[in-house]
């Protein structure tokens, strides 16, 4: 029997359990680029996990029937958006990676790889004819119903380029991507995230771009062309600023796709946080001068942890003599940790302009940390009993936009969503198998505290109930929430989560809801269409169980940078024992239906 709302709440404390030893994520604290990507890359029936460590690499963890391999490097360097699909139809999965552009000084083009069923990764090359940019998002879609997946890329324009964006759609000719088409140009150069969805239920992929001060909607016409329908579909909601990620979700099972908007600005402003219980003071600065004065700590020495700078333009310097500790990092800088005695950092430099992070002991138990950086710098100061004050982010409510006949209305209040804090990522899945999609939420968080991700449980399509303590905990401080992805990694019929933190770690959490609060389920694995071999990306799957319908979309993701291939669709069906009908419409219009599917079945179409 499926649980009531009160039973759900009572079981929330053990909804998820962080795993240990299932996937060998690194314990080091690293920068990220979006959520983890899940896809069955080797096509063995088990979803693999790809993570991007911004500025370092992209790693794939092979899923060996619920236990993951050591990471394998796909690509090194400044890795941004990443997408998985068999776009050339050769039976091997393709991975396209959008590299960064060296802060605008070195614009680059996407690189591509092919992965066979034996897990051999072959680099194919670079899309040298693409527009060079500071690469951001990779999204696959079917734009012209020709059975070949097209590629939408976004980029932040290089320096000294007049155009705000390099957001372009490249059509798949069968041998290459060509004929680039620029979709609706956002009014903000930071609108470089994208969602591929179907706004008007015509089974043609539409594209929403977002991330800056507005959103734009390009509606597909089915022939490879797009029309700007931003005003008609979104109205004033198009002016919603700082939308950082969007999840497609048919929360009320009415057959059209609604949108959940996580909202948070990019990390461009100075921040500072304090935890009085554990006496931690955490700060963040971006391309600016900074000064934290009158810091008093317990004990004699100053201890900093999780020190991270995007690129260390300048050294860390101590005291009036500007003693550089960069060369002594083997001793001083273990896992982002630096411990300094008053004698090492006596005084404060005068005369010259401060460059880098300076640390000085001023006397009478007082310390000073300040300087100037040309990139992002963050750290946590330990054992602080007096601090210079906090600079916290302002509230920025998340929103739920309901799709009513192809037009969106703000339904946030009516469905009981009350999230005032800033959020950065969202994943839609049915966590208790009651037949209604729930939401896993990543908060931006407080840098002085561990980030705790949480869940909004769907109350049978009438609204959502926030469950803040569901086991999605973190350990590290000095980090902020960056991404969450839902998938059933162990195929036990319960949707699990992989989540991570910027300047932090990745975690895998297993859904452990007990049978008495868990409904039945089926899985629908969508492959290429029978007649014309159209790829599963963009296919719409609708099931009918106990007379009620649910609809999901292959390729749906709450991450605006990455494209995931969730071709094994998970449907909770509550107390139903049989699914009357499963109906698939591929992006080229091909259809197939099967009926009378018993619970727990994994059917492949």
């Amino acid at each position: 029997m499926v649980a009531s709302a009160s039973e759900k709440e009572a079981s929330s404390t053990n909804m998820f359990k962080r795993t240990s030893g299932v996937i060998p994520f690194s314990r080091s604290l690293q920068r990220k680029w979006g959520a983890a990507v899940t896809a069955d890359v080797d096509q063995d029936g088990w979803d693999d996990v790809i993570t991007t460590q911004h500025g370092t690499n992209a790693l794939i963890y092979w899923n060996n029937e619920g236990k993951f391999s050591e990471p394998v490097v796909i690509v090194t360097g400044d890795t941004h958006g990443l997408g998985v699909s068999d776009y050339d139809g050769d039976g091997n999965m393709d991975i396209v990676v959008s590299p960064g552009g060296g802060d605008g000084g070195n614009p680059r083009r996407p690189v591509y790889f092919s992965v066979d069923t034996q897990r051999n990764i072959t680099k194919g090359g670079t899309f040298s004819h693409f527009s060079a940019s500071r690469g951001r998002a990779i999204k696959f879609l079917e734009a012209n119903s020709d059975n070949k997946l097209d590629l939408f890329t976004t980029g932040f324009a290089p320096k000294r380029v007049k155009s705000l964006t390099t957001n372009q759609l490249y059509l798949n000719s069968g041998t290459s991507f060509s004929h680039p088409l620029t979709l609706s140009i956002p009014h903000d150069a930071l609108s470089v995230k994208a969602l591929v969805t179907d706004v008007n239920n015509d089974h043609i992929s539409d594209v929403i771009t977002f991330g800056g001060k507005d959103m734009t909607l390009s509606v597909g016409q089915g022939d490879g062309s797009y029309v700007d329908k931003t005003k008609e579909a979104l109205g004033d909601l198009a002016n919603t600023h700082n939308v950082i990620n969007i999840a497609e979700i048919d929360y009320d099972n009415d057959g059209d796709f609604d949108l959940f908007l996580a909202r948070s600005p990019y990390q461009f402003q100075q921040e500072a946080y304090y935890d009085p219980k554990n006496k931690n003071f955490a700060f963040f600065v971006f391309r600016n001068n900074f000064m934290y004065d009158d810091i008093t700590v317990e004990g004699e020495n100053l201890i900093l942890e999780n020190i991270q700078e995007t690129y260390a333009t300048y050294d860390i310097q101590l005291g009036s003599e500007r003693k550089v500790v960069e060369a002594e990092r083997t001793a001083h800088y273990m896992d982002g940790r630096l411990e300094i005695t008053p004698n090492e950092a006596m005084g404060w430099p005068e005369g010259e302009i401060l460059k880098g992070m300076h640390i000085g002991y001023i006397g009478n138990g007082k310390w000073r940390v300040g300087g100037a950086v040309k990139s992002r710098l963050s750290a946590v100061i330990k054992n602080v009993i007096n601090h210079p004050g906090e600079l916290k982010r302002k509230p920025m409510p998340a929103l739920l936009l309901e799709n009513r006949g192809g037009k969106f209305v703000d339904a946030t209040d009516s469905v009981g969503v009350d999230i005032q804090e800033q959020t950065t990522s969202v994943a839609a899945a049915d966590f208790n198998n009651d037949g209604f999609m729930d939401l896993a939420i990543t908060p931006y968080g407080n840098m002085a505290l561990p980030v705790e991700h949480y869940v909004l449980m769907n109350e049978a399509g009438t609204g959502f109930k926030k469950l803040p303590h569901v086991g999605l905990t973190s350990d590290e401080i000095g980090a902020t929430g960056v991404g969450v992805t839902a998938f059933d990694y162990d195929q036990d019929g319960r949707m699990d989560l992989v989540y991570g933190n910027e300047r932090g770690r990745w975690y895998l959490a297993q859904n452990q809801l007990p049978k008495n609060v868990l409904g039945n389920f089926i899985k629908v694995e969508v492959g290429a269409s029978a007649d014309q071999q159209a790829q599963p990306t963009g296919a719409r799957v609708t099931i009918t169980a106990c007379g009620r319908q649910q609809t999901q979309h292959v390729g749906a993701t709450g991450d605006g940078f990455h494209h995931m291939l969730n071709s094994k669709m998970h449907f909770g069906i509550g107390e139903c024992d049989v699914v009357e009908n499963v109906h698939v419409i591929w992006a080229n219009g091909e259809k197939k239906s099967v009926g009378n599917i018993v619970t727990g079945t994994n059917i492949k179409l």
Side-chain angles (χ1 to χ4, degrees):
M1 182 177 181
V2 180
S4 65
S6 59
E7 287 173 323
K8 291 178 191 174
E9 188 170 9
S11 66
S12 66
T13 54
N14 62 351
M15 181 179 291
F16 292 97
K17 180 181 180 181
R18 267 174 40 187
T19 62
S20 176
V22 174
I23 186 166
F25 286 138
S26 171
R27 294 290 297 168
S28 64
L29 308 179
Q30 296 176 310
R31 293 184 297 134
K32 311 287 190 294
W33 189 271
V37 174
T38 57
D40 184 4
V41 181
D42 58 1
Q43 303 179 66
D44 66 350
W46 297 79
D47 283 337
D48 309 299
V49 173
I50 301 174
T51 62
T52 53
Q53 289 59 239
H54 184 202
T56 305
N57 55 33
L59 304 174
I60 187 165
Y61 298 82
W62 300 112
N63 189 341
N64 297 311
E65 299 186 3
K67 186 76 179 283
F68 291 83
S69 72
E70 291 293 326
V72 175
V73 176
I74 300 173
V75 62
T76 59
D78 193 11
T79 304
H80 290 186
L82 183 150
V84 180
S85 274
D86 180 11
Y87 66 77
D88 56 8
D90 67 352
N92 293 331
M93 283 296 169
D94 303 297
I95 299 176
V96 177
V97 180
S98 187
D103 201 31
N106 182 30
R108 293 190 289 169
R109 297 167 175 86
V111 295
Y112 57 97
F113 303 82
S114 178
V115 187
D116 65 22
T117 57
Q118 302 305 307
R119 301 180 174 176
N120 297 307
I121 302 172
T122 303
K123 183 175 180 180
T126 301
F127 291 129
S128 57
H129 59 293
F130 278 33
S131 297
S133 73
R134 301 152 77 173
R136 293 299 185 261
I138 293 290
K139 298 286 180 177
F140 292 106
L141 68 159
E142 170 59 278
N144 53 1
S145 302
D146 65 352
N147 312 310
K148 296 186 290 291
L149 290 179
D150 308 301
L151 180 60
F152 180 62
T153 67
T154 74
F156 195 69
K159 292 179 179 178
R160 297 178 294 278
V161 173
K162 292 182 179 180
S163 174
L164 284 175
T165 180
T166 54
N167 297 357
Q168 291 186 308
L169 172 67
Y170 292 86
L171 298 180
N172 189 339
S173 66
T175 57
S176 66
F177 291 108
S178 57
H179 308 294
L181 172 70
T182 300
L183 301 192
S184 301
I185 298 293
H187 302 112
D188 189 338
L190 295 175
S191 290
V192 289
K193 293 195 168 189
L195 173 76
V196 179
T197 185
D198 181 5
V199 169
N200 52 9
N201 266 343
D202 63 356
H203 308 297
I204 301 172
S205 292
D206 309 312
V207 178
I208 298 175
T209 54
F210 57 93
K213 66 184 179 183
D214 65 351
M215 298 185 287
T216 57
L217 169 63
S218 300
V219 172
Q221 304 302 294
D223 59 358
S225 66
Y226 283 77
V227 176
D228 190 330
K229 292 289 184 180
T230 306
K231 184 176 181 180
E232 291 86 343
L234 289 165
D236 290 341
L237 292 170
N239 298 320
T240 305
H241 60 279
N242 297 129
V243 177
I244 199 72
N245 274 310
I246 302 177
E248 168 192 285
I249 175 174
D250 182 10
Y251 85 91
D252 50 4
N253 287 344
D254 66 352
D256 53 24
F257 295 122
D258 313 301
L259 305 175
F260 186 92
L261 277 54
R263 299 178 63 218
S264 179
Y266 296 106
Q267 293 182 326
F268 292 159
Q269 303 298 321
Q270 189 172 350
E271 302 172 34
Y273 302 85
Y274 183 64
D275 171 19
K277 179 180 178 180
N278 295 297
K279 302 180 178 62
N280 294 318
F281 179 76
F283 67 88
F284 170 88
V285 62
F286 175 64
R287 294 180 180 173
N288 211 335
N289 302 328
F290 66 103
M291 190 66 66
Y292 299 108
D293 230 332
D294 296 328
I295 299 170
T296 306
V297 299
E298 286 182 335
E300 184 178 352
N301 298 343
L302 185 76
I303 300 173
L304 294 89
E305 292 184 348
N306 198 4
I307 305 169
Q308 296 208 30
E309 190 172 1
T310 306
Y311 45 89
T313 310
Y314 305 116
D315 298 320
I316 299 174
Q317 302 178 32
L318 305 182
S320 58
E321 296 183 359
R322 300 178 182 260
K323 178 184 177 182
V324 175
V325 295
E326 203 75 20
E328 301 177 50
R329 283 196 172 182
T330 300
H332 286 78
Y333 197 85
M334 299 298 291
D335 196 24
R337 190 174 189 274
L338 185 63
E339 183 168 353
I340 307 159
T341 68
N343 286 336
E344 288 178 304
M346 193 68 67
W348 191 255
E350 296 182 2
E352 297 181 49
I353 298 174
L354 298 179
K355 293 181 179 180
M357 181 166 67
H358 293 254
I359 301 169
Y361 180 69
I362 309 304
N364 298 319
K366 302 288 186 181
W367 293 82
R368 178 183 296 163
V369 178
V373 291
K374 289 187 175 181
S375 59
R376 289 177 173 84
L377 171 70
S378 63
V380 178
I381 306 175
K382 305 290 293 182
N383 307 319
V384 175
I385 55 177
N386 186 64
H387 64 91
E390 295 182 284
L391 293 171
K392 293 184 176 181
R393 288 193 166 204
K394 297 178 181 179
M396 190 169 289
L399 301 175
L400 190 141
L401 307 185
E402 184 176 331
N403 189 337
R404 296 179 183 173
K407 296 184 179 180
F408 292 98
V409 298
D410 186 348
T412 309
D413 293 338
S414 64
V415 298
V417 173
D418 183 16
I419 300 175
Q420 299 303 311
E421 67 179 320
Q422 293 187 17
T423 50
T424 60
S425 182
V426 56
D430 186 354
F431 295 121
N432 64 342
N433 290 346
D434 67 348
F436 293 90
M437 297 287 275
D438 311 303
L439 294 163
I441 307 294
T442 297
Y444 182 83
N446 178 326
M447 285 179 58
L449 299 168
V451 180
E452 184 173 4
H453 306 238
Y454 53 89
V455 167
L456 295 184
M457 292 301 294
N458 192 329
E459 302 284 287
T462 62
F464 291 88
K465 186 176 186 65
K466 182 179 179 181
L467 301 182
H469 303 295
V470 293
L472 302 176
T473 57
S474 306
D475 296 325
E476 66 273 20
I477 56 176
T480 54
V482 73
V484 60
T485 306
F487 74 129
D488 184 4
Y489 82 88
D490 53 3
Q491 297 191 22
D492 67 350
R494 295 175 289 189
M495 293 297 282
D496 312 299
L497 293 170
V498 57
Y499 60 98
N501 303 317
E502 173 70 358
R503 302 183 302 277
R505 301 186 178 103
W506 293 108
Y507 297 90
L508 175 67
Q510 183 184 48
N511 185 332
Q512 55 175 12
L513 279 179
K515 293 291 185 181
N516 67 310
V517 296
L518 198 66
N520 295 323
F521 72 95
I522 69 163
K523 291 185 182 293
V524 182
E525 187 173 352
V526 182
S529 66
D531 293 338
Q532 301 179 42
Q533 296 296 297
Q535 290 298 306
T537 293
R540 176 189 289 249
V541 182
T542 301
I543 73 162
T544 304
C546 295
R548 296 189 299 270
Q549 287 193 344
Q550 299 177 53
T551 301
Q552 294 183 37
H553 164 220
V554 178
T557 172
D559 189 274
F561 286 134
H562 302 312
H563 177 93
M564 306 188 198
L565 185 59
N566 57 331
S567 57
K568 185 176 289 185
M569 319 292 285
H570 177 99
F571 290 90
I573 56 174
E575 298 177 5
C576 300
D577 294 322
V578 176
V579 173
E580 294 101 74
N581 184 261
V582 176
H583 183 64
V584 180
I585 303 178
W586 280 264
N588 69 344
E590 282 188 60
K591 302 176 182 179
K592 184 170 184 178
S593 294
V594 294
N596 296 319
I597 310 300
V598 298
T599 181
T601 299
N602 177 21
I603 66 167
K604 189 171 183 178
L605 299 175

